Amino acid sequence: MEAYLIIDIGTGNARVAVTDRGGNVLSVAREDVHYEKDVHYTDSIYFDPDELWEQIQRLARRALSEAPGVRVVALTATSQREGIVLLGRNGESLIGLPNIDHRGRQWEGVLTDKQRVYALTGRYPTSLFSALKLVGVREGRWPLWERVAGFLSISDWVQYKLSGVQGYEHSQASETLLYDVAGKTWSTELCDMFDLDAGLLADLVSSGAVLGPLLPSLGGAFAAAAGAVVVVGGADTQLAIEGTQPGAGDMVIVSGTTT
C-alpha cells in the first residue's frame, strides 16, 4: 500500500503518523518533546535538534511497524508556530528555540514603532515570535550568534533534514515578525527594525509544493519507495484550520498546548 508519512512537532509532543493516500490514519507514534532550561536568560528553554531528529526517526520506525506493508511515497511536516532551529555555516543544526522560549523578552523595547510592525505582520511584537528570539541570542549569547548563518521554522527544518533543501513556508514565515503578510514576502524594513541581516532568511516556499526528493540515505529509515518526495507542510494552527475546510464566515479555534 502506498502511504504518506507526516511529522508533527508540537509544543508538548512529537508525533509521526502514517496515512493512506485517502488520508485515513493507519498509525500514530508520539513522545514528549524534551526541553532544557537556558541558564543565560531568566525565562528561556531550548531543545537539542540532533536529539529531536533521533526522536523523529525512532517514532517513524514505531509508526511504520504498526502499519506493515506500506511504501511511503511522500513525507511532510508541520510544527508549532514561532519555534525555530538555528543553522551554522555548513548547514549544521546549532540549537532549537521553541515557541515558549522567551529569551528575547528584555529586548522587546528595541522596537520604537510596534504599530508599524503590527501593520505589516498582523502580529503585535512580543518575545513569543522568532525575530526576538534571534535578538535574544545575538544580545545574550554572542559566541553562539557568531556561528549562525540562518534559521528555519521547526517544520521547515524537519523537511530540510529529509531533503537537504532549505525553504521557509509562508504560514511559518508569518510568525517570525520579518514577513509582510499583505505582500507575501520577507520584509527588509522589518529586518532593519530588528537589526537582522536579510541574508539569514531562506527562500520562501509554498505549502503543498514538492520541496525535493527524500535523501537516498534515508530511504530505509522511512520505508520509502523509490522516488519518494518531501512535500512542504506548514504551521500547525494554520494547517489545522485548513484541515477543517472552513467556509466564509466560519470561526475556527485550534486548542493546542499554547491555548
Side-chain angles (χ1 to χ4, degrees), residues 148-208:
V148 175
F151 70 98
L152 295 171
S153 76
I154 298 172
S155 61
D156 288 309
W157 169 78
V158 171
Q159 291 157 185
Y160 164 57
K161 295 290 288 186
L162 292 170
S163 67
V165 180
Q166 294 185 27
Y168 220 113
E169 188 273 329
H170 288 267
S171 69
Q172 289 285 24
S174 76
E175 305 291 351
T176 62
L177 298 181
L178 302 172
Y179 177 87
D180 181 335
V181 174
K184 297 183 180 179
T185 186
W186 294 118
S187 168
T188 55
E189 179 183 353
L190 288 165
C191 288
D192 290 344
M193 287 184 181
F194 292 97
D195 195 21
L196 293 170
D197 188 339
L200 295 169
L201 305 173
D203 290 342
L204 291 164
V205 291
S206 296
S207 185

